[in-house]
Amino acid sequence: MTAVTERWIHAPSPTALPPTLSVICGRDKSLTHRAVMFASLASGFSRIHFPLLGEDCLSTMACFRALGVRIQELRPTTIAVVSEGFKAWRQPNVDLDCGNSGTTARLISGILAGQPGLRCRLIGDESLSQRPMKRVVEPLRRMGAKIEGRDGGNFLPLEIEGVALKACSHQVDKSSAQVKSALLLAGLFAPGVTTVSLPAGSRDHTERFLERMGAKLERSYQDDLETVRVEGPFEPLAGEFYIPVDPSSAAFFAVYGLLRSGGAIQIPHVLDNPTRLGFLRILERMSPALDTTSEADRRFVEPVMRIQARGGSVLRAADIVAREVPTLVDEIPILAVAAAFAEGRSRFSGLEELRIKESDRLAKTAELLRLAGAGVSVDGDDLIIEGGLKKVRAFTYDSLGDHRLAMAAAILARFGEKPSCILNSECVRVSFPDFYEVLDSVS
Ligand code: S3P
């Protein structure tokens, strides 16, 4: 068993806050996963600039290395991916270890299901081994995929025997980018049109990558439903991929900036994609002290912007409705921290997907706020936060290895008079390896 890591978080020592402080946050996890996947599928030499080298993305890289793709560091900020294309992938002689990463396990399932001649076994850590895989396994089976696993294929380990897939039409009942992406990726190997219809709002990076590479992809929207069609077969192209800063990482420092007593925090090069920025819309409802400015840098795989959050103003409570959740699904813990300090009661509705993230994030977010002395309750899958927190009680909080909870707890602890302790604190390596160093650098 691995030892439990712990970290004490203190309030910063009182100093005059600099008028504006630029904070360098980690690069985007979802985009790094996809850049590695598309570069590995392509035949040729690709470079990924500013990849996130967090544990989740390293798991994705390790899986493709096991399939024979060469992935090397060229410079500390650039990796090279050299592949002869998916048709040249070799049979791995090890299990493909997805670690803690749901994105790796679910997207790779879609890719491997369509590789005749390969037989792969996907494994993961304790948390990932308890997360449902049926949401991708069942629709993939309708395309002819041969996937076996624990509990009828609902849990890792999964055995995937690659076959020639058939294109088909899927109706998905969850707004999940992981499910949508797994099916679109599988569709690349199935001759004909694969259609995925699902509740709108989930991140659209897979679609954007495919559009950029010239795949025949169509999207349409009707009421709250989105439909994506992709035509297979399609071979992705090697290229240069510049990765922006992860809005899900920036969110911690945007909230920190708003909660401070003064000064401003600026975060440059943040991915500017509406399917990822629901948290900004909520913070804008809570405070007038948040600004964004588009940046003209066109190198990145998607547009980028600068976020600025000024401290010293009073936050107002804000509700989140179920339809908004897909656009801020990873930011609920840090938005809940903001709501704890706001004036009035906030209700975050329709959070059932949080129950099956790296932990039961809904219950664990409520636990964190309760430990710190905030008024909070859970009503079904809704989180109700009373607001008005003035004094953060010192706490000891077990993140259970869930990175987003550890980081939300650390931001909250910075406003306590006495230090607080985070157990299983080092899980931040999954998505933001130098999070604590960055936090220490900000007073
Ligand atoms: C992700 C999609 C989201 C998100 C996860 C990354 C992706 O999951 O929570 O951190 O990169 O596609 P769901 O699509 O399951 O909601």
Side-chain angles (χ1 to χ4, degrees), residues 29-30 34 103 106 135 176-178 203 329-330 357 404:
K29 185 156 78 71
S30 290
R34 285 161 174 81
T103 307
R106 296 195 177 115
R135 50 180 59 204
S176 163
Q178 292 182 352
R203 63 196 68 190
V329 63
D330 293 334
K357 289 291 176 191
R404 307 221 189 265

Side-chain angles (χ1 to χ4, degrees), residues 11 15 184 211 218 224 232 254 335 351 393 439:
T15 48
L184 294 176
E211 282 163 348
E218 273 175 31
D224 277 345
L335 288 172
L351 304 182
R393 213 161 53 201
L439 184 61

